[in-house]
Amino acid sequence: MIPEEGFGIFLCVVKGKEMWDLNGTSLCNNMKSVSLQWISRFMLYLTLPIPYTSTLQMAVHPPNNVHIKDLGNLGILEMTWQPPAFINSTSECSVRYEITHQVVNEQRWKSVRIKQLTYRGAFNLEKNATIKIRTYLKGQCTEGNEVWSEWVEANYQVSLQGAPETKVKDFRCINHKYENLKCEWKAGVLGSIDNYELLYWQDGMSQKKKCKKYMTRNEMNTGCDFGREVFEMFSDLFICVTGIPGMDPIRPSYFILQAQNIGKPGIPENLNLTMDISDELVLSWKEPKGKLPAHCFQYEIQSKNQMDMWQTVANQKESSQYSVKRSEISNSCLRVRGKANIYCADDGYWSDWSPELCWTGPPSELDLKWLYSIAAVISVFTGLCVVACVYTVRKKRQWSKKLQCKAKELVYEIDSGHNLKC
């Protein structure tokens, strides 16, 4: 199909002398001018992408000799490689390497870019560790654009010995008050003389360690009490529960934890329940003692309902006080518990509940002024009663004396010799 401008030029050329009139000549000149503009724009668009296209088509090779090594720290793998051969002879481009792998205990993938020829990462050794790497170039050799190679994939799998049913079950660790770590598990299917051994390692240790104090059940190791051993916060702790050397092989179980994510704080302390002048119940407390700072806590407050069952009435962060109108809750009994908030830990355990506190003060309908008024009235009434009693006693004594005098007067009239003393 011929564009309108091209069709105009075609007509001008074919018709020749028939288009020599004034109007026809102007029409042809205009068509030629428009056509030349479109042709020049088209040629410009063709020439501009040439450098960019040539850059993208530049061959970039992935790293060579990719290897993965287990460092023996229960989950740390080291990846090494060599740069592509052609990069050694050029200094016009900066070279980076992008590594991507799945994050432990999560579904997402982690991606990092580095200049070094080595990389260490944490992996669950029970699963196949898959790592991908590629080369990035940018600089004069790519005319300032960033180009990259294809991915190179490397895999690592630990040779797992022992039957799957020998693995531990329901493994769980709790860092009590962020000071005392305990891990527990249930035993799998083992022989009568087989038993478990726990190994652990954290960055800063020269080598992996063995559990020193086991918790047992029927002579079977079902947990480890780490005592007062200090573990760093926000640093991976690698744990492996496997069989004792020399016994039948037990399928190892690998775990990667962080101390702040398995913490269970103590019970909130110094609880106090009061009633203020605005008829509000005020529950106050202090954060439990331990390594967790006050700003890292969140709290849950519960009240008893009409069925005498606990229900949550508030969730709050940091604040160590809760106020509520007494009319808004069906019972005046409250309790509270604490946990690390999302700003200081990804997870954790709630503390045990505090003892319940119930408001047993005077009924809230009686204002203090009324209490003072009633007390004043009672005091006045009591005083009046005392005065009345004293007055009555004195009157009785006066009447008693008068009666005695009357009696003596009668006796004197009868017996004039009787001495009258009133």
Side-chain angles (χ1 to χ4, degrees), residues 26-198:
S26 300
L27 178 60
C28 288
N29 290 336
N30 291 336
M31 288 183 177
K32 290 178 181 179
S33 176
V34 173
S35 299
L36 289 174
Q37 291 178 5
W38 278 98
I39 291 172
S40 62
R41 290 179 182 175
F42 180 70
M43 294 300 294
L44 182 61
Y45 291 152
L46 287 178
T47 55
L48 281 177
I50 289 175
Y52 181 73
T53 304
S54 62
T55 300
L56 291 181
Q57 292 177 350
M58 177 181 178
V60 182
H61 299 283
N64 292 322
N65 301 326
V66 180
H67 294 286
I68 299 177
K69 179 182 178 182
D70 187 354
L71 299 180
N73 293 328
L74 310 179
I76 295 293
L77 298 180
E78 182 179 72
M79 185 178 185
T80 60
W81 60 91
Q82 294 179 356
F86 81 95
I87 294 180
N88 294 332
S89 60
T90 179
S91 60
E92 297 179 347
C93 270
S94 62
V95 183
R96 291 180 181 270
Y97 303 96
E98 181 179 12
I99 301 100
T100 180
H101 63 87
Q102 190 170 7
V103 179
V104 177
N105 300 330
E106 297 183 23
Q107 298 300 320
R108 64 183 181 90
W109 285 66
K110 178 181 179 181
S111 181
V112 295
R113 291 190 186 183
I114 60 175
K115 293 182 178 181
Q116 296 79 13
L117 299 177
T118 181
Y119 173 78
R120 292 183 180 183
F123 296 86
N124 187 342
L125 297 185
E126 290 187 56
K127 303 177 182 179
N128 180 36
T130 301
I131 305 174
K132 296 180 180 180
I133 182 173
R134 64 181 175 181
T135 308
Y136 271 83
L137 289 180
K138 186 176 182 181
Q140 294 181 4
C141 66
T142 62
E143 299 183 3
N145 298 300
E146 189 174 53
V147 294
W148 52 88
S149 70
E150 297 292 333
W151 287 107
V152 173
E153 184 175 301
N155 296 276
Y156 184 85
Q157 178 69 59
V158 174
S159 178
L160 300 175
Q161 298 181 348
E165 59 269 18
T166 62
K167 287 180 54 176
V168 297
K169 305 175 183 178
D170 301 334
F171 182 86
R172 186 178 73 155
C173 293
I174 300 179
N175 193 8
H176 295 273
K177 297 184 179 180
Y178 296 87
E179 296 177 348
N180 184 10
L181 177 63
K182 293 182 180 180
C183 293
E184 298 182 74
W185 61 82
K186 293 181 181 178
V189 181
L190 300 183
S192 58
I193 62 172
D194 298 330
N195 211 336
Y196 293 103
E197 180 181 59
L198 184 143

Side-chain angles (χ1 to χ4, degrees), residues 213-285:
K213 183 181 179 181
Y214 287 102
M215 295 178 282
T216 61
R217 180 177 298 175
N218 298 327
E219 299 183 354
M220 177 71 66
N221 294 339
T222 58
C224 177
D225 185 352
F226 293 87
R228 292 293 179 176
E229 182 165 359
V230 178
F231 294 99
E232 295 295 330
M233 300 284 191
F234 306 99
S235 178
D236 289 334
L237 173 63
F238 298 84
I239 295 177
C240 175
V241 183
T242 184
I244 297 177
M247 297 184 176
D248 292 336
I250 294 176
R251 179 66 63 91
S253 299
Y254 294 90
F255 307 93
I256 303 178
L257 312 169
Q258 290 193 358
Q260 78 280 357
N261 294 333
I262 52 175
K264 180 178 180 179
I267 299 173
E269 301 177 353
N270 298 341
L271 269 71
N272 188 27
L273 185 62
T274 58
M275 176 79 74
D276 63 12
I277 58 176
S278 59
D279 194 29
E280 283 191 345
L281 283 174
V282 180
L283 178 66
S284 59
W285 62 89

Side-chain angles (χ1 to χ4, degrees), residues 327-341:
S327 58
E328 295 178 2
I329 55 177
S330 56
N331 194 299
S332 298
C333 294
L334 298 171
R335 66 179 184 178
V336 63
R337 64 177 180 175
K339 179 184 178 183
N341 60 37

